[in-house]
Amino acid sequence: MVREWDPRTASSAEIASLLDTLNAVLAADLPQDPPWRESSLREYLTEVMPGERRISWVAQEEPGTNGAPGAILGQVQVLLLGDIGVLEVLVHPSARRTGLGRDLVRTAARRVYQEGFSAIGVEVVGDTPSVAFYESLGFTREYVETRSVLDLSVVDWAELAEMATGIGAGYHVEFHPGGPPDELIEAYARAKAEVRDVDDGELRPSSYDPERLRDSLDCLHRRGMKPYIVLALHEQTGEVAGLTEVVVPAQHPTRADQYDTIVVQDHRGYGIDRAIKARMLLELRSAEPDLAEVQTWNAQANEAMLKVNAELGYRPDRDWCEYSVDVADLVHRLDASR
Ligand SMILES: CC(C)(COP(=O)(O)OP(=O)(O)OC[C@H]1O[C@@H](n2cnc3c(N)ncnc32)[C@H](O)[C@@H]1OP(=O)(O)O)[C@@H](O)C(=O)NCCC(=O)NCCS
């Protein structure tokens, strides 16, 4: 049975059941990834940026004879932002290839269509069943990135400390746990607005103006995701010349996510990328002692950044793709296949 589901009001047993399914999916499809934890999972599923909406449905087994709620075997959610719906679908490995994934997508797609959105986008992880699944539904690949993972247990910390100081004269590097200080928000947003050649994919939009940036930091905190920032300040102008952002999510705190890394055009060639990323890892080592890995996503064409990441010890892990589909086409195709 597929029904609309609001994580805000869901019982703790349902949240725990969804977590079990998510971890079964990870064990089947991404066995090297750490399992997720329950901490802040409800907030992770609930909180959104102003102007965005997330709608969710679950496929749940019938209640047991003792009245215990049935397990959640599948979930679909769609985040409505700008003019697209960003889809996420999970089906427990024990319930796959029965058409459940397709039913979940049909339910979400119809709503996205009714809401007047024209396109649906989805992140698809390479070498998992998702690739064949979304291609069978008519989604096409828009963009490919490589995910790389850094295992902190093999990092040469002395070498890293040297990299952290290898920056041209005239720059000052600062570490800010929690986000940039308020007096730097405007300069920070300017750096992000100028350069969009980032570590990030298009389904994870960056924030380019101060208000949006504040909202985005606030949303991260509410979702239980702690941002850390290292920035390089150009001493002469006070401008933010470079920045790097890492987020430690309460849901998988042993593996952090690298978000944007940006070096503003005029300040390239001074070793800023390498120095700020190295400084970040050194800071995280003491700020987050349980952290074991950091993962990052790069466009395959971004050779300069890939080179620095390789020097830091990142190893390519898998393709991470963005697929999209026209909503009306998807709804027609799914209705015709019933
Ligand atoms: C992708 C996923 C949702 C598919 O769910 P599902 O219920 O098995 O999909 P369906 O049964 O509706 O399959 C629909 C069609 O997709 C295609 N398909 C799905 N899985 C496939 C596979 N493993 N190999 C080949 N084709 C596949 C087939 O064409 C299938 O139709 P068919 O069974 O009639 O041949 C499921 O595998 C899943 O949850 N994967 C993890 C997704 C995810 O987000 N992961 C993130 C962390 S890895």
Side-chain angles (χ1 to χ4, degrees):
M1 179 192 60
V2 175
R3 65 175 171 91
E4 196 166 335
W5 183 75
D6 185 352
R8 224 176 305 259
T9 52
S11 68
S12 306
E14 285 176 355
I15 298 279
S17 180
L18 177 64
L19 178 65
D20 286 347
T21 290
L22 171 63
N23 282 332
V25 164
L26 286 173
D29 294 349
L30 288 170
Q32 311 297 328
D33 279 39
W36 280 42
R37 303 177 184 180
E38 203 164 332
S39 65
S40 296
L41 183 57
R42 189 188 295 275
E43 292 74 15
Y44 179 86
L45 295 166
T46 307
E47 298 295 336
V48 289
M49 291 274 283
E52 295 178 359
R53 268 186 309 147
R54 190 184 288 112
I55 315 176
S56 180
W57 295 261
V58 291
Q60 189 167 17
E61 284 181 323
E62 295 302 322
T65 42
N66 57 0
I72 290 182
L73 295 179
Q75 191 222 9
V76 59
Q77 56 180 16
V78 65
L79 181 68
L80 298 173
L81 58 99
D83 55 359
I84 69 162
V86 179
L87 191 70
E88 285 182 44
V89 186
L90 288 178
V91 173
H92 194 288
S94 68
R96 289 184 181 174
R97 296 309 287 273
T98 63
L100 181 53
R102 199 166 25 212
D103 285 349
L104 290 165
V105 172
R106 183 185 293 113
T107 305
R110 282 182 176 159
R111 174 67 71 85
V112 175
Y113 182 67
Q114 283 163 10
E115 299 268 354
F117 288 77
S118 57
I120 286 183
V122 64
E123 276 190 8
V124 177
V125 184
D127 285 330
T128 70
S130 295
V131 177
F133 174 69
Y134 287 108
E135 289 181 356
S136 81
L137 299 181
F139 284 69
T140 52
R141 202 158 91 164
E142 299 288 340
Y143 192 70
V144 193
E145 290 185 312
T146 302
R147 182 179 74 167
S148 304
V149 180
L150 175 65
D151 174 354
L152 294 178
S153 70
V154 302
V155 164
D156 179 339
W157 294 101
E159 196 184 326
L160 207 72
E162 214 162 291
M163 283 185 195
T165 55
I167 188 168
Y171 295 100
H172 172 72
V173 178
E174 295 182 356
F175 171 61
H176 294 288
D182 213 54
E183 67 272 15
L184 284 176
I185 286 269
E186 300 219 345
Y188 194 89
R190 266 197 304 279
K192 290 187 71 130
E194 185 179 327
V195 183
R196 295 179 179 212
D197 180 16
V198 293
D199 274 5
D200 228 350
E202 285 171 6
L203 298 184
R204 282 169 266 135
S206 297
S207 300
Y208 300 119
D209 69 75
E211 198 175 329
R212 189 88 184 140
L213 186 57
R214 279 193 193 95
D215 287 343
S216 148
L217 289 162
D218 186 50
C219 182
L220 279 175
H221 284 290
R222 283 187 277 114
R223 296 182 86 198
M225 303 162 85
K226 183 163 186 194
Y228 288 92
I229 281 160
V230 170
L231 42 84
L233 283 175
H234 184 228
E235 288 166 355
Q236 207 183 334
T237 58
E239 283 298 304
V240 170
L243 61 93
T244 188
E245 309 168 331
V246 168
V247 169
V248 180
Q251 300 82 17
H252 52 90
T254 59
R255 183 184 284 199
D257 297 322
Q258 170 82 57
Y259 280 37
D260 285 356
T261 297
I262 287 170
V263 179
V264 172
Q265 193 72 40
D266 287 353
H267 301 285
R268 295 194 178 169
Y270 299 99
I272 293 179
D273 182 13
R274 186 181 288 107
I276 58 181
K277 282 184 174 160
R279 171 76 179 269
M280 174 66 89
L281 294 172
L282 291 162
E283 295 286 358
L284 287 174
R285 195 183 184 200
S286 40
E288 293 281 345
D290 293 338
L291 192 64
E293 296 165 313
V294 181
Q295 57 188 355
T296 187
W297 291 263
N298 292 98
Q300 284 161 353
N302 196 343
E303 284 170 21
M305 210 165 259
L306 287 171
K307 182 168 172 279
V308 167
N309 286 349
E311 282 172 28
L312 292 165
Y314 280 90
R315 296 284 164 261
D317 174 42
R318 344 182 141 225
D319 284 351
W320 217 268
C321 314
E322 289 178 12
Y323 277 67
S324 74
V325 73
D326 178 85
V327 182
D329 289 351
L330 178 64
V331 170
H332 287 141
R333 193 172 301 117
L334 284 167
D335 283 344
S337 73
R338 294 203 87 175

